[in-house]
Amino acid sequence: MSSAGDTERSPEGTAVLNVSQRRLVCVEYPGVVRHLDRALETLRGEKGVSKTYSDPSKRLELYYRPRDPYCHPVCGNRYPSTNLLLRVRRRVRKGEGGGEAQVAMEVLGVIGTTYKFQGMADFQYLAIHMRPDSTHMSLYDKIILRQPETKEFFDMDVPLFIPPPIFSRLDTPVDYYYRPEIQHREGYVPPAVSSENLIGLSRARRPHNAIFVSFEDKTVPMEPLEPAVQNWKRVCVHPSEIKAEEELKKMFERRPIWSRNAVKANLDIHPEKLKLLLPYLAYYMLTGPWRSLWVRFGYDPRTKPEAKAYQVLDFRIRCGMKHGYTPNDLPVKAKRSTYNYSLPTTVNKYASEFLLYGVCNSVTSLFVRQESAYIFRDGTLPPYRQMFYQLCDLDVESIKKVIHCNDGQEEECNERDGWCLPRTTDELRNIMSSMIKQVIRAKKPGLFPANAKDTADEAGHGSQERESGEEDEEEFQPSEGSDNEMETEILEYM
């Protein structure tokens, strides 16, 4: 055997083959290839393979019927490889004695990526109709528009054909483990089935470790529930948990009302442990100006005007053509993506979500959040498009003036505005929206054509927008449904 590649001798005397630096991609085609062009057509051509290769998260799609729009693809998985592509030639010289065979080998390149088709290929849905006599009729010529047609084509009666919106997300067989029969605690009695409750509960409710208080409730709790005490004492064994309990007690002494985001930014504790510690030291407000906040036991903000500083502001960044930019122009991510849904044509990938966990001041811990998770300052953007801020955490002088303009003159605490003047929250949102618009303009000047009207609006911090009679695109109601984790926090304690 001889090689067409260059060989060298190493110091030890062994032969070393110089391999071409050409990088190649291998596709293990699940079929017998008789015509290369037709095989490439099932992979959507060389451009289709190149496009898939450029995105490591994509699987290679193979269509056995490439001209059928209803053909479901077979997906190939991408694997790294270190194979060599060899070209081997065998030459035979005819002569006396049967001839002499000579084999020549040439290394064409290194295969660094290989696509393997390991899934099932039987997920297909054909455009056919079954006649009453059990014979099948093709519908392709009746439903696929191949050329400009006359009115008769569209008036033609066609059997109903509705392909499935999506095929199975799994193309490999898996074992399905059925859930065992639900085991309830001793003494559990299933709820009575009535016309208003036909489904019932599938499990017993978790113990109510947290105490929930509504704005209409007459009193506030003075101490935690006994299960909350027992649960915390059970896990409070490490010095770090003991230290966290002492620090959180001091935090509530210094400030009687906290959001969970603010607690996370000032306390080094695992989130699961925090779920047990908060109900041990505070109760949770469901409605009113302190909704979604944790309040120190025995403290009733409805009777203390100074609690105005701790009220919550449900702020949502305004987007739309009316404001000069769309959600896609906004350099701020939504709290949750529409769906963390990976199609069968993609591999599992770890999305680079916005990191709320990080370093806060001098504290270094994975459990400590950044200050931007609960504090609003001029010149910065909120981490998400919807935020729940406490008024004391709005670190802007013009905002503080609006909040404290009626200090010492508070007369009544109501569910919408608390101890603030009516419509205060609307004015605060206008100021914050105007400030955010200026930050976005600085980051993307092309979005906002500067004119005198915009300058006047910014000088008034958006107050003129309210005077013009133009309504906001959203109505902010107390305890309105929210995607913010502070609003849905209650679910973790049910």
Side-chain angles (χ1 to χ4, degrees), residues 75-246:
C75 295
N77 298 320
R78 176 172 177 157
Y79 294 97
S81 57
T82 55
N83 301 326
L84 299 178
L85 179 62
L86 305 179
R87 176 185 289 167
V88 181
R89 293 187 178 96
R90 182 175 180 272
R91 297 176 181 176
V92 179
R93 292 183 179 180
K94 295 183 180 179
E96 297 181 1
E100 180 182 356
Q102 185 178 12
V103 178
M105 181 187 69
E106 178 184 1
V107 179
L108 300 181
V110 178
I111 301 175
T113 302
T114 301
Y115 287 95
K116 300 181 181 181
F117 293 85
Q118 302 165 315
M120 297 180 290
D122 56 351
F123 289 113
Q124 301 297 328
Y125 198 84
L126 303 179
I128 59 176
H129 174 69
M130 181 177 290
R131 299 188 180 96
D133 59 355
S134 298
T135 59
H136 294 86
M137 175 181 65
S138 174
L139 299 178
Y140 286 95
D141 294 334
K142 301 179 183 297
I143 62 178
I144 298 179
L145 189 65
R146 305 182 189 276
Q147 61 184 8
E149 298 286 353
T150 61
K151 182 175 181 296
E152 288 74 14
F153 177 85
F154 299 98
D155 292 340
M156 181 174 49
D157 291 335
V158 179
L160 184 64
F161 175 72
I162 304 178
I166 189 171
F167 287 88
S168 172
R169 296 184 66 250
L170 300 176
D171 57 2
T172 54
V174 295
D175 294 328
Y176 188 86
Y177 297 97
Y178 291 91
R179 293 180 179 178
E181 185 177 353
I182 299 172
Q183 300 293 330
H184 294 295
R185 297 179 179 178
E186 184 179 356
Y188 170 77
V189 178
V193 177
S194 64
S195 59
E196 298 179 356
N197 178 23
L198 298 178
I199 298 178
L201 298 175
S202 61
R203 61 165 175 81
R205 288 178 74 94
R206 298 187 183 96
H208 290 228
N209 298 330
I211 301 178
F212 304 116
V213 176
S214 299
F215 185 81
E216 299 81 7
D217 293 344
K218 302 300 182 181
T219 60
V220 298
M222 304 300 293
E223 57 184 17
L225 297 175
E226 184 60 28
V229 177
Q230 297 300 327
N231 283 342
W232 174 246
K233 295 301 183 183
R234 176 173 48 85
V235 300
C236 185
V237 294
H238 193 271
S240 61
E241 278 91 32
I242 299 175
K243 180 181 179 181
E245 177 185 343
E246 296 175 352

Side-chain angles (χ1 to χ4, degrees), residues 375-394:
I375 295 179
F376 179 82
R377 291 189 174 93
D378 191 8
T380 60
L381 290 175
Y384 297 112
R385 296 177 189 173
Q386 180 175 18
M387 296 292 297
F388 276 37
Y389 290 109
Q390 288 183 260
L391 300 186
C392 60
D393 294 325
L394 302 177

Side-chain angles (χ1 to χ4, degrees), residues 33 117 120 152 157 274 290 310 336 354-355 381 385:
V33 178
F117 293 85
M120 297 180 290
E152 288 74 14
D157 291 335
L274 184 60
W290 297 277
Y310 310 121
R336 298 185 179 94
F354 183 88
L355 291 178
L381 290 175
R385 296 177 189 173

Side-chain angles (χ1 to χ4, degrees), residues 452-492:
K453 181 179 182 301
D454 288 341
T455 305
D457 288 343
E458 292 170 8
H461 290 296
S463 60
Q464 297 167 1
E465 179 182 348
R466 180 63 57 185
E467 295 174 0
S468 65
E470 184 179 8
E471 294 183 357
D472 292 334
E473 67 277 8
E474 297 184 56
E475 180 66 21
F476 293 83
Q477 298 292 344
S479 195
E480 189 174 281
S482 167
D483 282 341
N484 192 287
E485 69 173 11
M486 296 173 64
E487 182 77 5
T488 57
E489 182 179 354
I490 181 178
L491 298 178
E492 298 182 356

